[in-house]
Amino acid sequence: MTTRRKFIQGAAVAAPAAALAAPAVAQSTIKWRMQTYAGASLAAEVIEPAIKMFNQIAGDRMQIELFYADQLVPTGELFQAMQRGTIDAVQSDDDSMASPTEVTVFGGYFPFGSRYSLDVPVLFNQYGLNEIWDEEYSKVGVKHISAGAWDPCHFATKDPINSLADLKGKRIFTFPTAGRFLTQFGVVPVNLPWEDIEVAMQTGELDGIAWSGITEDYTVGWADVTNYFLTNNISGAWAGSFFANMERWNELPEDLQTLFRVCCDQSHYYRQWWYWGGEAKLRTQGDKLKLTTIPDEEWATVEAAAQDFWEEIAAESDVKRRVVDIFKKYNEDMVKAGRPYRYG
């Protein structure tokens, strides 16, 4: 198992490279440190291109040094580090970084909150989630910059999953809220540093992973230590965001704020097509994972349980009720709209 000390030692070597070959800068250059919740192999796809673009355009006015999962602080401490200014900006979902807001439970993979990746930006930009996220993070001194979608959440496992019974007792690395939901089906959620997952699968500490779609399974090496991929998912798209320390954000000139937003949007767009195409290609052409499926009639019981879970969450606070009501309204609208928005 990779130890924290060895990993941090490696980070000390990797950090300059993570700065993305930033040009020599003047002493007055604004410098930010940003940490993503993605490990190095995944970050190369989902965040490095956007930060490289920002640094190239901003030049000696501003440079962002990018760090990978757990390099500066553990992922679960990202929010606190950003809030106090140890880190200037973060790319993560609310759930993984243990945000102390009322909306945290909806970040990452909220069970069956979305069916497709386009659902997430529509929920935020057209159904009111942006306003709620802005309110909640403003209360705690953090700027919520923008939200976007990543891949769906599937199981990749050592043993085949062909029924709900096959999930019982399985030790699964997954997101906090997804784990909370899945326990009713016998899943045992396990929390480990991202970089330790591959080794944990090899040593038997884990039976599987429910943290991504098949694109990430191949990209980060998990397809090399698992054998099966369950085509049923518990969420059609991850929901994550870019955040910044509020004070540092307010210090930026308006044009640099705009540039940062544009680069975030570029990152969101890249993930839309990279995941959408990758999921289909690797299901049909991938040679490492065998596909399995739980029958629709049996999986319908999981979807029904999600509705009860939504109500359980909504009962916890007025803000959570507002968000759940938006999810319900949105999904009702999609069903009424019919194909291609919803089938059946």
Side-chain angles (χ1 to χ4, degrees):
M1 186 72 69
T2 302
T3 65
R4 172 77 60 188
R5 177 169 297 181
K6 288 181 179 178
F7 185 65
I8 293 300
Q9 288 173 343
V13 176
L20 307 174
V25 296
Q27 196 169 9
S28 60
T29 300
I30 299 169
K31 298 176 183 178
W32 272 19
R33 297 199 302 175
M34 179 178 188
Q35 184 170 310
T36 175
Y37 88 132
S41 55
L42 180 59
E45 297 287 349
V46 301
I47 183 61
E48 283 189 9
I51 300 305
K52 181 178 181 180
M53 177 188 296
F54 180 92
N55 287 343
Q56 287 177 338
I57 297 173
D60 62 5
R61 294 187 63 202
M62 180 172 177
Q63 290 291 296
I64 298 174
E65 187 174 13
L66 179 65
F67 296 86
Y68 306 134
D70 302 311
Q71 276 196 317
L72 293 179
V73 297
T75 297
E77 298 176 15
L78 275 176
F79 178 87
Q80 295 177 354
M82 174 174 50
Q83 187 183 42
R84 63 177 177 258
T86 304
I87 298 173
D88 302 299
V90 165
Q91 180 203 36
S92 178
D93 63 275
D94 317 70
D95 208 16
S96 293
M97 70 176 187
S99 165
T101 68
E102 292 290 332
V103 297
T104 296
V105 70
F106 303 104
Y109 291 114
F110 187 59
F112 299 97
S114 61
R115 182 168 295 189
Y116 308 116
S117 57
L118 278 174
D119 290 340
V120 173
V122 174
L123 279 160
F124 274 86
N125 293 302
Q126 295 185 350
Y127 276 72
L129 292 191
N130 265 336
E131 290 75 12
I132 297 176
W133 260 246
D134 183 69
E135 292 171 9
E136 290 303 302
Y137 280 98
S138 294
K139 294 176 184 176
V140 290
V142 167
K143 177 64 179 178
H144 176 258
I145 297 168
S146 67
W150 283 25
D151 50 343
C153 185
H154 293 259
F155 287 86
T157 54
K158 286 184 178 178
D159 300 323
I161 305 297
N162 294 298
S163 68
L164 290 180
D166 292 335
L167 290 174
K168 292 181 179 179
K170 293 293 189 294
R171 294 160 298 178
I172 303 294
F173 171 66
T174 190
F175 288 76
T177 299
R180 173 179 168 183
F181 171 70
L182 291 169
T183 55
Q184 64 187 293
F185 303 103
V187 169
V188 181
V190 178
N191 183 30
L192 291 170
W194 191 91
E195 289 289 342
D196 290 349
I197 302 311
E198 185 173 346
V199 176
M201 287 297 306
Q202 293 172 313
T203 61
E205 187 176 353
L206 288 174
D207 300 306
I209 302 161
W211 200 86
S212 70
I214 199 168
T215 305
E216 285 189 23
D217 291 336
Y218 274 78
T219 301
V220 306
W222 293 341
D224 298 322
V225 293
T226 54
N227 301 314
Y228 298 92
F229 179 84
L230 182 65
T231 61
N232 312 76
N233 66 57
I234 64 167
S235 175
W238 177 94
S241 300
F242 289 93
F243 305 88
N245 174 278
M246 184 70 79
E247 185 176 344
R248 296 308 303 274
W249 175 259
N250 289 337
E251 290 171 355
L252 291 184
E254 185 176 351
D255 63 331
L256 287 179
Q257 290 182 350
T258 300
L259 175 59
F260 192 82
R261 289 184 184 277
V262 169
C263 291
C264 290
D265 286 343
Q266 188 278 333
S267 178
H268 295 320
Y269 171 67
Y270 181 92
R271 292 196 303 271
Q272 287 276 317
W273 61 260
W274 186 66
Y275 281 114
W276 184 258
E279 297 299 298
K281 181 179 180 180
L282 289 171
R283 283 193 187 199
T284 57
Q285 301 176 35
D287 58 1
K288 295 180 180 180
L289 296 174
K290 182 177 181 180
L291 305 184
T292 65
T293 301
I294 295 176
D296 289 345
E297 59 273 17
E298 187 174 5
W299 193 248
T301 63
V302 182
E303 296 185 356
Q307 297 303 309
D308 294 334
F309 184 75
W310 287 16
E311 290 304 313
E312 176 187 331
I313 297 298
E316 294 177 353
S317 74
D318 291 340
V319 172
K320 291 177 181 177
R321 167 55 67 187
R322 286 171 62 196
V323 176
V324 167
D325 285 347
I326 287 174
F327 273 100
K328 291 171 67 175
K329 169 63 175 171
Y330 176 76
N331 280 278
E332 288 170 3
D333 287 350
M334 295 300 103
V335 170
K336 290 178 182 178
R339 297 172 185 264
Y341 299 95
R342 292 293 185 269
Y343 292 80

PDB file of all heavy atoms in Angstrom, residues 261-291:
ATOM      1  N   ARG A 261     -13.348  31.710 -15.376  1.00  0.00           N
ATOM      2  CA  ARG A 261     -14.663  31.103 -15.669  1.00  0.00           C
ATOM      3  C   ARG A 261     -14.670  30.447 -17.045  1.00  0.00           C
ATOM      4  O   ARG A 261     -15.200  29.341 -17.226  1.00  0.00           O
ATOM      5  CB  ARG A 261     -15.764  32.157 -15.603  1.00  0.00           C
ATOM      6  CG  ARG A 261     -16.083  32.659 -14.205  1.00  0.00           C
ATOM      7  CD  ARG A 261     -17.258  33.637 -14.263  1.00  0.00           C
ATOM      8  NE  ARG A 261     -17.569  34.231 -12.991  1.00  0.00           N
ATOM      9  CZ  ARG A 261     -18.332  33.667 -12.050  1.00  0.00           C
ATOM     10  NH1 ARG A 261     -18.832  32.464 -12.273  1.00  0.00           N
ATOM     11  NH2 ARG A 261     -18.581  34.284 -10.909  1.00  0.00           N
ATOM     12  N   VAL A 262     -14.104  31.138 -18.022  1.00  0.00           N
ATOM     13  CA  VAL A 262     -14.059  30.593 -19.382  1.00  0.00           C
ATOM     14  C   VAL A 262     -13.268  29.289 -19.418  1.00  0.00           C
ATOM     15  O   VAL A 262     -13.672  28.313 -20.074  1.00  0.00           O
ATOM     16  CB  VAL A 262     -13.452  31.623 -20.356  1.00  0.00           C
ATOM     17  CG1 VAL A 262     -13.145  30.973 -21.710  1.00  0.00           C
ATOM     18  CG2 VAL A 262     -14.402  32.796 -20.550  1.00  0.00           C
ATOM     19  N   CYS A 263     -12.148  29.247 -18.717  1.00  0.00           N
ATOM     20  CA  CYS A 263     -11.342  28.032 -18.684  1.00  0.00           C
ATOM     21  C   CYS A 263     -12.069  26.906 -17.945  1.00  0.00           C
ATOM     22  O   CYS A 263     -11.951  25.729 -18.307  1.00  0.00           O
ATOM     23  CB  CYS A 263      -9.984  28.317 -18.056  1.00  0.00           C
ATOM     24  SG  CYS A 263      -8.931  29.376 -19.085  1.00  0.00           S
ATOM     25  N   CYS A 264     -12.826  27.255 -16.921  1.00  0.00           N
ATOM     26  CA  CYS A 264     -13.660  26.250 -16.241  1.00  0.00           C
ATOM     27  C   CYS A 264     -14.697  25.695 -17.213  1.00  0.00           C
ATOM     28  O   CYS A 264     -14.931  24.477 -17.269  1.00  0.00           O
ATOM     29  CB  CYS A 264     -14.360  26.857 -15.032  1.00  0.00           C
ATOM     30  SG  CYS A 264     -13.274  27.270 -13.646  1.00  0.00           S
ATOM     31  N   ASP A 265     -15.315  26.576 -17.977  1.00  0.00           N
ATOM     32  CA  ASP A 265     -16.314  26.132 -18.956  1.00  0.00           C
ATOM     33  C   ASP A 265     -15.679  25.220 -20.007  1.00  0.00           C
ATOM     34  O   ASP A 265     -16.294  24.239 -20.448  1.00  0.00           O
ATOM     35  CB  ASP A 265     -16.962  27.334 -19.645  1.00  0.00           C
ATOM     36  CG  ASP A 265     -17.943  28.064 -18.741  1.00  0.00           C
ATOM     37  OD1 ASP A 265     -18.363  27.475 -17.722  1.00  0.00           O
ATOM     38  OD2 ASP A 265     -18.296  29.214 -19.057  1.00  0.00           O
ATOM     39  N   GLN A 266     -14.453  25.539 -20.407  1.00  0.00           N
ATOM     40  CA  GLN A 266     -13.757  24.681 -21.358  1.00  0.00           C
ATOM     41  C   GLN A 266     -13.543  23.291 -20.763  1.00  0.00           C
ATOM     42  O   GLN A 266     -13.701  22.275 -21.441  1.00  0.00           O
ATOM     43  CB  GLN A 266     -12.403  25.298 -21.737  1.00  0.00           C
ATOM     44  CG  GLN A 266     -11.666  24.580 -22.863  1.00  0.00           C
ATOM     45  CD  GLN A 266     -10.889  23.356 -22.401  1.00  0.00           C
ATOM     46  OE1 GLN A 266     -10.476  23.272 -21.248  1.00  0.00           O
ATOM     47  NE2 GLN A 266     -10.682  22.414 -23.291  1.00  0.00           N
ATOM     48  N   SER A 267     -13.209  23.253 -19.473  1.00  0.00           N
ATOM     49  CA  SER A 267     -13.009  21.988 -18.791  1.00  0.00           C
ATOM     50  C   SER A 267     -14.312  21.187 -18.727  1.00  0.00           C
ATOM     51  O   SER A 267     -14.331  19.977 -18.987  1.00  0.00           O
ATOM     52  CB  SER A 267     -12.474  22.235 -17.378  1.00  0.00           C
ATOM     53  OG  SER A 267     -12.314  21.025 -16.672  1.00  0.00           O
ATOM     54  N   HIS A 268     -15.406  21.873 -18.395  1.00  0.00           N
ATOM     55  CA  HIS A 268     -16.718  21.206 -18.370  1.00  0.00           C
ATOM     56  C   HIS A 268     -17.047  20.617 -19.747  1.00  0.00           C
ATOM     57  O   HIS A 268     -17.516  19.481 -19.862  1.00  0.00           O
ATOM     58  CB  HIS A 268     -17.818  22.185 -17.974  1.00  0.00           C
ATOM     59  CG  HIS A 268     -17.708  22.706 -16.573  1.00  0.00           C
ATOM     60  ND1 HIS A 268     -17.340  21.923 -15.505  1.00  0.00           N
ATOM     61  CD2 HIS A 268     -17.947  23.947 -16.066  1.00  0.00           C
ATOM     62  CE1 HIS A 268     -17.349  22.651 -14.392  1.00  0.00           C
ATOM     63  NE2 HIS A 268     -17.711  23.877 -14.719  1.00  0.00           N
ATOM     64  N   TYR A 269     -16.817  21.395 -20.793  1.00  0.00           N
ATOM     65  CA  TYR A 269     -17.146  20.953 -22.149  1.00  0.00           C
ATOM     66  C   TYR A 269     -16.306  19.738 -22.539  1.00  0.00           C
ATOM     67  O   TYR A 269     -16.821  18.769 -23.109  1.00  0.00           O
ATOM     68  CB  TYR A 269     -16.905  22.107 -23.126  1.00  0.00           C
ATOM     69  CG  TYR A 269     -17.003  21.691 -24.582  1.00  0.00           C
ATOM     70  CD1 TYR A 269     -18.221  21.296 -25.131  1.00  0.00           C
ATOM     71  CD2 TYR A 269     -15.872  21.675 -25.399  1.00  0.00           C
ATOM     72  CE1 TYR A 269     -18.311  20.899 -26.458  1.00  0.00           C
ATOM     73  CE2 TYR A 269     -15.952  21.281 -26.721  1.00  0.00           C
ATOM     74  CZ  TYR A 269     -17.178  20.892 -27.250  1.00  0.00           C
ATOM     75  OH  TYR A 269     -17.252  20.500 -28.558  1.00  0.00           O
ATOM     76  N   TYR A 270     -15.022  19.785 -22.230  1.00  0.00           N
ATOM     77  CA  TYR A 270     -14.130  18.671 -22.556  1.00  0.00           C
ATOM     78  C   TYR A 270     -14.645  17.378 -21.936  1.00  0.00           C
ATOM     79  O   TYR A 270     -14.691  16.332 -22.575  1.00  0.00           O
ATOM     80  CB  TYR A 270     -12.720  18.980 -22.058  1.00  0.00           C
ATOM     81  CG  TYR A 270     -11.709  17.897 -22.357  1.00  0.00           C
ATOM     82  CD1 TYR A 270     -10.947  17.935 -23.517  1.00  0.00           C
ATOM     83  CD2 TYR A 270     -11.517  16.840 -21.465  1.00  0.00           C
ATOM     84  CE1 TYR A 270     -10.019  16.933 -23.797  1.00  0.00           C
ATOM     85  CE2 TYR A 270     -10.592  15.844 -21.733  1.00  0.00           C
ATOM     86  CZ  TYR A 270      -9.841  15.897 -22.902  1.00  0.00           C
ATOM     87  OH  TYR A 270      -8.939  14.899 -23.167  1.00  0.00           O
ATOM     88  N   ARG A 271     -15.040  17.463 -20.669  1.00  0.00           N
ATOM     89  CA  ARG A 271     -15.515  16.254 -19.982  1.00  0.00           C
ATOM     90  C   ARG A 271     -16.806  15.734 -20.605  1.00  0.00           C
ATOM     91  O   ARG A 271     -17.050  14.526 -20.629  1.00  0.00           O
ATOM     92  CB  ARG A 271     -15.704  16.541 -18.490  1.00  0.00           C
ATOM     93  CG  ARG A 271     -14.390  16.802 -17.775  1.00  0.00           C
ATOM     94  CD  ARG A 271     -14.558  16.698 -16.261  1.00  0.00           C
ATOM     95  NE  ARG A 271     -15.548  17.591 -15.730  1.00  0.00           N
ATOM     96  CZ  ARG A 271     -15.311  18.825 -15.333  1.00  0.00           C
ATOM     97  NH1 ARG A 271     -14.097  19.329 -15.435  1.00  0.00           N
ATOM     98  NH2 ARG A 271     -16.266  19.579 -14.843  1.00  0.00           N
ATOM     99  N   GLN A 272     -17.665  16.639 -21.090  1.00  0.00           N
ATOM    100  CA  GLN A 272     -18.916  16.203 -21.689  1.00  0.00           C
ATOM    101  C   GLN A 272     -18.672  15.197 -22.812  1.00  0.00           C
ATOM    102  O   GLN A 272     -19.245  14.111 -22.830  1.00  0.00           O
ATOM    103  CB  GLN A 272     -19.690  17.410 -22.243  1.00  0.00           C
ATOM    104  CG  GLN A 272     -20.321  18.291 -21.193  1.00  0.00           C
ATOM    105  CD  GLN A 272     -21.670  17.766 -20.729  1.00  0.00           C
ATOM    106  OE1 GLN A 272     -22.486  17.337 -21.530  1.00  0.00           O
ATOM    107  NE2 GLN A 272     -21.910  17.813 -19.439  1.00  0.00           N
ATOM    108  N   TRP A 273     -17.808  15.568 -23.752  1.00  0.00           N
ATOM    109  CA  TRP A 273     -17.626  14.664 -24.898  1.00  0.00           C
ATOM    110  C   TRP A 273     -16.623  13.559 -24.613  1.00  0.00           C
ATOM    111  O   TRP A 273     -16.738  12.447 -25.140  1.00  0.00           O
ATOM    112  CB  TRP A 273     -17.252  15.430 -26.164  1.00  0.00           C
ATOM    113  CG  TRP A 273     -15.979  16.217 -26.144  1.00  0.00           C
ATOM    114  CD1 TRP A 273     -15.841  17.555 -25.953  1.00  0.00           C
ATOM    115  CD2 TRP A 273     -14.649  15.719 -26.369  1.00  0.00           C
ATOM    116  NE1 TRP A 273     -14.521  17.932 -26.029  1.00  0.00           N
ATOM    117  CE2 TRP A 273     -13.765  16.833 -26.298  1.00  0.00           C
ATOM    118  CE3 TRP A 273     -14.113  14.453 -26.624  1.00  0.00           C
ATOM    119  CZ2 TRP A 273     -12.380  16.694 -26.461  1.00  0.00           C
ATOM    120  CZ3 TRP A 273     -12.737  14.322 -26.785  1.00  0.00           C
ATOM    121  CH2 TRP A 273     -11.895  15.442 -26.713  1.00  0.00           C
ATOM    122  N   TRP A 274     -15.609  13.815 -23.758  1.00  0.00           N
ATOM    123  CA  TRP A 274     -14.607  12.797 -23.465  1.00  0.00           C
ATOM    124  C   TRP A 274     -15.246  11.596 -22.775  1.00  0.00           C
ATOM    125  O   TRP A 274     -14.975  10.443 -23.121  1.00  0.00           O
ATOM    126  CB  TRP A 274     -13.488  13.395 -22.606  1.00  0.00           C
ATOM    127  CG  TRP A 274     -12.335  12.471 -22.377  1.00  0.00           C
ATOM    128  CD1 TRP A 274     -11.459  12.005 -23.307  1.00  0.00           C
ATOM    129  CD2 TRP A 274     -11.932  11.896 -21.128  1.00  0.00           C
ATOM    130  NE1 TRP A 274     -10.521  11.180 -22.716  1.00  0.00           N
ATOM    131  CE2 TRP A 274     -10.781  11.097 -21.387  1.00  0.00           C
ATOM    132  CE3 TRP A 274     -12.409  11.997 -19.820  1.00  0.00           C
ATOM    133  CZ2 TRP A 274     -10.119  10.389 -20.384  1.00  0.00           C
ATOM    134  CZ3 TRP A 274     -11.740  11.293 -18.824  1.00  0.00           C
ATOM    135  CH2 TRP A 274     -10.618  10.495 -19.103  1.00  0.00           C
ATOM    136  N   TYR A 275     -16.092  11.869 -21.803  1.00  0.00           N
ATOM    137  CA  TYR A 275     -16.766  10.768 -21.111  1.00  0.00           C
ATOM    138  C   TYR A 275     -17.853  10.134 -21.961  1.00  0.00           C
ATOM    139  O   TYR A 275     -17.966   8.915 -22.036  1.00  0.00           O
ATOM    140  CB  TYR A 275     -17.373  11.262 -19.788  1.00  0.00           C
ATOM    141  CG  TYR A 275     -16.365  11.389 -18.678  1.00  0.00           C
ATOM    142  CD1 TYR A 275     -16.049  12.630 -18.144  1.00  0.00           C
ATOM    143  CD2 TYR A 275     -15.725  10.277 -18.150  1.00  0.00           C
ATOM    144  CE1 TYR A 275     -15.124  12.765 -17.121  1.00  0.00           C
ATOM    145  CE2 TYR A 275     -14.798  10.400 -17.126  1.00  0.00           C
ATOM    146  CZ  TYR A 275     -14.504  11.645 -16.622  1.00  0.00           C
ATOM    147  OH  TYR A 275     -13.587  11.762 -15.613  1.00  0.00           O
ATOM    148  N   TRP A 276     -18.684  10.953 -22.593  1.00  0.00           N
ATOM    149  CA  TRP A 276     -19.809  10.408 -23.357  1.00  0.00           C
ATOM    150  C   TRP A 276     -19.317   9.450 -24.441  1.00  0.00           C
ATOM    151  O   TRP A 276     -19.824   8.338 -24.599  1.00  0.00           O
ATOM    152  CB  TRP A 276     -20.625  11.546 -23.964  1.00  0.00           C
ATOM    153  CG  TRP A 276     -21.852  11.093 -24.684  1.00  0.00           C
ATOM    154  CD1 TRP A 276     -22.018  10.975 -26.029  1.00  0.00           C
ATOM    155  CD2 TRP A 276     -23.098  10.690 -24.094  1.00  0.00           C
ATOM    156  NE1 TRP A 276     -23.289  10.539 -26.318  1.00  0.00           N
ATOM    157  CE2 TRP A 276     -23.969  10.353 -25.151  1.00  0.00           C
ATOM    158  CE3 TRP A 276     -23.563  10.592 -22.776  1.00  0.00           C
ATOM    159  CZ2 TRP A 276     -25.279   9.923 -24.945  1.00  0.00           C
ATOM    160  CZ3 TRP A 276     -24.866  10.155 -22.568  1.00  0.00           C
ATOM    161  CH2 TRP A 276     -25.708   9.830 -23.630  1.00  0.00           C
ATOM    162  N   GLY A 277     -18.312   9.866 -25.182  1.00  0.00           N
ATOM    163  CA  GLY A 277     -17.764   9.002 -26.213  1.00  0.00           C
ATOM    164  C   GLY A 277     -16.975   7.844 -25.643  1.00  0.00           C
ATOM    165  O   GLY A 277     -17.048   6.709 -26.154  1.00  0.00           O
ATOM    166  N   GLY A 278     -16.232   8.113 -24.586  1.00  0.00           N
ATOM    167  CA  GLY A 278     -15.409   7.071 -23.990  1.00  0.00           C
ATOM    168  C   GLY A 278     -16.211   5.934 -23.395  1.00  0.00           C
ATOM    169  O   GLY A 278     -15.828   4.756 -23.505  1.00  0.00           O
ATOM    170  N   GLU A 279     -17.329   6.269 -22.754  1.00  0.00           N
ATOM    171  CA  GLU A 279     -18.160   5.223 -22.149  1.00  0.00           C
ATOM    172  C   GLU A 279     -18.637   4.227 -23.212  1.00  0.00           C
ATOM    173  O   GLU A 279     -18.595   3.014 -23.016  1.00  0.00           O
ATOM    174  CB  GLU A 279     -19.360   5.846 -21.433  1.00  0.00           C
ATOM    175  CG  GLU A 279     -19.024   6.755 -20.268  1.00  0.00           C
ATOM    176  CD  GLU A 279     -18.278   6.054 -19.153  1.00  0.00           C
ATOM    177  OE1 GLU A 279     -18.834   5.107 -18.553  1.00  0.00           O
ATOM    178  OE2 GLU A 279     -17.123   6.435 -18.882  1.00  0.00           O
ATOM    179  N   ALA A 280     -19.112   4.746 -24.349  1.00  0.00           N
ATOM    180  CA  ALA A 280     -19.626   3.875 -25.406  1.00  0.00           C
ATOM    181  C   ALA A 280     -18.503   3.080 -26.066  1.00  0.00           C
ATOM    182  O   ALA A 280     -18.627   1.875 -26.322  1.00  0.00           O
ATOM    183  CB  ALA A 280     -20.365   4.710 -26.449  1.00  0.00           C
ATOM    184  N   LYS A 281     -17.394   3.755 -26.350  1.00  0.00           N
ATOM    185  CA  LYS A 281     -16.279   3.088 -27.032  1.00  0.00           C
ATOM    186  C   LYS A 281     -15.724   1.940 -26.212  1.00  0.00           C
ATOM    187  O   LYS A 281     -15.462   0.841 -26.746  1.00  0.00           O
ATOM    188  CB  LYS A 281     -15.180   4.108 -27.331  1.00  0.00           C
ATOM    189  CG  LYS A 281     -13.988   3.513 -28.060  1.00  0.00           C
ATOM    190  CD  LYS A 281     -12.939   4.566 -28.365  1.00  0.00           C
ATOM    191  CE  LYS A 281     -11.747   3.977 -29.100  1.00  0.00           C
ATOM    192  NZ  LYS A 281     -10.726   5.009 -29.408  1.00  0.00           N
ATOM    193  N   LEU A 282     -15.548   2.162 -24.909  1.00  0.00           N
ATOM    194  CA  LEU A 282     -14.928   1.124 -24.089  1.00  0.00           C
ATOM    195  C   LEU A 282     -15.903  -0.007 -23.748  1.00  0.00           C
ATOM    196  O   LEU A 282     -15.475  -1.141 -23.502  1.00  0.00           O
ATOM    197  CB  LEU A 282     -14.339   1.737 -22.817  1.00  0.00           C
ATOM    198  CG  LEU A 282     -13.094   2.591 -23.093  1.00  0.00           C
ATOM    199  CD1 LEU A 282     -12.673   3.362 -21.857  1.00  0.00           C
ATOM    200  CD2 LEU A 282     -11.937   1.719 -23.589  1.00  0.00           C
ATOM    201  N   ARG A 283     -17.184   0.279 -23.738  1.00  0.00           N
ATOM    202  CA  ARG A 283     -18.154  -0.811 -23.582  1.00  0.00           C
ATOM    203  C   ARG A 283     -18.129  -1.735 -24.795  1.00  0.00           C
ATOM    204  O   ARG A 283     -18.278  -2.953 -24.674  1.00  0.00           O
ATOM    205  CB  ARG A 283     -19.574  -0.261 -23.411  1.00  0.00           C
ATOM    206  CG  ARG A 283     -19.899   0.297 -22.049  1.00  0.00           C
ATOM    207  CD  ARG A 283     -21.393   0.497 -21.942  1.00  0.00           C
ATOM    208  NE  ARG A 283     -21.795   1.191 -20.731  1.00  0.00           N
ATOM    209  CZ  ARG A 283     -23.038   1.149 -20.260  1.00  0.00           C
ATOM    210  NH1 ARG A 283     -23.967   0.466 -20.884  1.00  0.00           N
ATOM    211  NH2 ARG A 283     -23.348   1.807 -19.154  1.00  0.00           N
ATOM    212  N   THR A 284     -17.958  -1.152 -25.976  1.00  0.00           N
ATOM    213  CA  THR A 284     -18.042  -1.937 -27.208  1.00  0.00           C
ATOM    214  C   THR A 284     -16.690  -2.431 -27.710  1.00  0.00           C
ATOM    215  O   THR A 284     -16.615  -3.464 -28.368  1.00  0.00           O
ATOM    216  CB  THR A 284     -18.699  -1.099 -28.322  1.00  0.00           C
ATOM    217  OG1 THR A 284     -17.946   0.111 -28.513  1.00  0.00           O
ATOM    218  CG2 THR A 284     -20.129  -0.741 -27.954  1.00  0.00           C
ATOM    219  N   GLN A 285     -15.606  -1.708 -27.385  1.00  0.00           N
ATOM    220  CA  GLN A 285     -14.303  -2.075 -27.918  1.00  0.00           C
ATOM    221  C   GLN A 285     -13.268  -2.414 -26.839  1.00  0.00           C
ATOM    222  O   GLN A 285     -12.199  -2.924 -27.163  1.00  0.00           O
ATOM    223  CB  GLN A 285     -13.754  -0.932 -28.788  1.00  0.00           C
ATOM    224  CG  GLN A 285     -14.662  -0.577 -29.963  1.00  0.00           C
ATOM    225  CD  GLN A 285     -14.142   0.607 -30.748  1.00  0.00           C
ATOM    226  OE1 GLN A 285     -12.942   0.803 -30.906  1.00  0.00           O
ATOM    227  NE2 GLN A 285     -15.056   1.437 -31.244  1.00  0.00           N
ATOM    228  N   GLY A 286     -13.569  -2.108 -25.592  1.00  0.00           N
ATOM    229  CA  GLY A 286     -12.623  -2.402 -24.521  1.00  0.00           C
ATOM    230  C   GLY A 286     -12.419  -3.895 -24.352  1.00  0.00           C
ATOM    231  O   GLY A 286     -13.352  -4.686 -24.516  1.00  0.00           O
ATOM    232  N   ASP A 287     -11.202  -4.305 -23.996  1.00  0.00           N
ATOM    233  CA  ASP A 287     -10.895  -5.732 -23.908  1.00  0.00           C
ATOM    234  C   ASP A 287     -10.517  -6.186 -22.501  1.00  0.00           C
ATOM    235  O   ASP A 287     -10.004  -7.291 -22.313  1.00  0.00           O
ATOM    236  CB  ASP A 287      -9.761  -6.075 -24.869  1.00  0.00           C
ATOM    237  CG  ASP A 287      -8.486  -5.271 -24.593  1.00  0.00           C
ATOM    238  OD1 ASP A 287      -8.490  -4.457 -23.643  1.00  0.00           O
ATOM    239  OD2 ASP A 287      -7.496  -5.475 -25.329  1.00  0.00           O
ATOM    240  N   LYS A 288     -10.769  -5.326 -21.484  1.00  0.00           N
ATOM    241  CA  LYS A 288     -10.339  -5.677 -20.135  1.00  0.00           C
ATOM    242  C   LYS A 288     -11.492  -6.054 -19.198  1.00  0.00           C
ATOM    243  O   LYS A 288     -11.287  -6.824 -18.260  1.00  0.00           O
ATOM    244  CB  LYS A 288      -9.557  -4.510 -19.523  1.00  0.00           C
ATOM    245  CG  LYS A 288      -8.248  -4.200 -20.225  1.00  0.00           C
ATOM    246  CD  LYS A 288      -7.522  -3.041 -19.560  1.00  0.00           C
ATOM    247  CE  LYS A 288      -6.208  -2.736 -20.255  1.00  0.00           C
ATOM    248  NZ  LYS A 288      -5.489  -1.608 -19.612  1.00  0.00           N
ATOM    249  N   LEU A 289     -12.667  -5.503 -19.393  1.00  0.00           N
ATOM    250  CA  LEU A 289     -13.780  -5.716 -18.469  1.00  0.00           C
ATOM    251  C   LEU A 289     -14.955  -6.386 -19.176  1.00  0.00           C
ATOM    252  O   LEU A 289     -15.386  -5.927 -20.238  1.00  0.00           O
ATOM    253  CB  LEU A 289     -14.232  -4.379 -17.866  1.00  0.00           C
ATOM    254  CG  LEU A 289     -13.216  -3.646 -16.986  1.00  0.00           C
ATOM    255  CD1 LEU A 289     -13.758  -2.283 -16.579  1.00  0.00           C
ATOM    256  CD2 LEU A 289     -12.864  -4.473 -15.762  1.00  0.00           C
ATOM    257  N   LYS A 290     -15.477  -7.429 -18.567  1.00  0.00           N
ATOM    258  CA  LYS A 290     -16.659  -8.098 -19.094  1.00  0.00           C
ATOM    259  C   LYS A 290     -17.903  -7.401 -18.536  1.00  0.00           C
ATOM    260  O   LYS A 290     -17.984  -7.118 -17.338  1.00  0.00           O
ATOM    261  CB  LYS A 290     -16.664  -9.572 -18.694  1.00  0.00           C
ATOM    262  CG  LYS A 290     -17.852 -10.347 -19.262  1.00  0.00           C
ATOM    263  CD  LYS A 290     -17.769 -11.830 -18.908  1.00  0.00           C
ATOM    264  CE  LYS A 290     -18.950 -12.587 -19.502  1.00  0.00           C
ATOM    265  NZ  LYS A 290     -18.891 -14.034 -19.158  1.00  0.00           N
ATOM    266  N   LEU A 291     -18.873  -7.110 -19.397  1.00  0.00           N
ATOM    267  CA  LEU A 291     -20.076  -6.399 -18.978  1.00  0.00           C
ATOM    268  C   LEU A 291     -21.085  -7.359 -18.349  1.00  0.00           C
ATOM    269  O   LEU A 291     -21.303  -8.467 -18.850  1.00  0.00           O
ATOM    270  CB  LEU A 291     -20.725  -5.700 -20.174  1.00  0.00           C
ATOM    271  CG  LEU A 291     -19.855  -4.743 -20.991  1.00  0.00           C
ATOM    272  CD1 LEU A 291     -20.699  -4.060 -22.070  1.00  0.00           C
ATOM    273  CD2 LEU A 291     -19.192  -3.703 -20.101  1.00  0.00           C
TER     274      LEU A 291
END
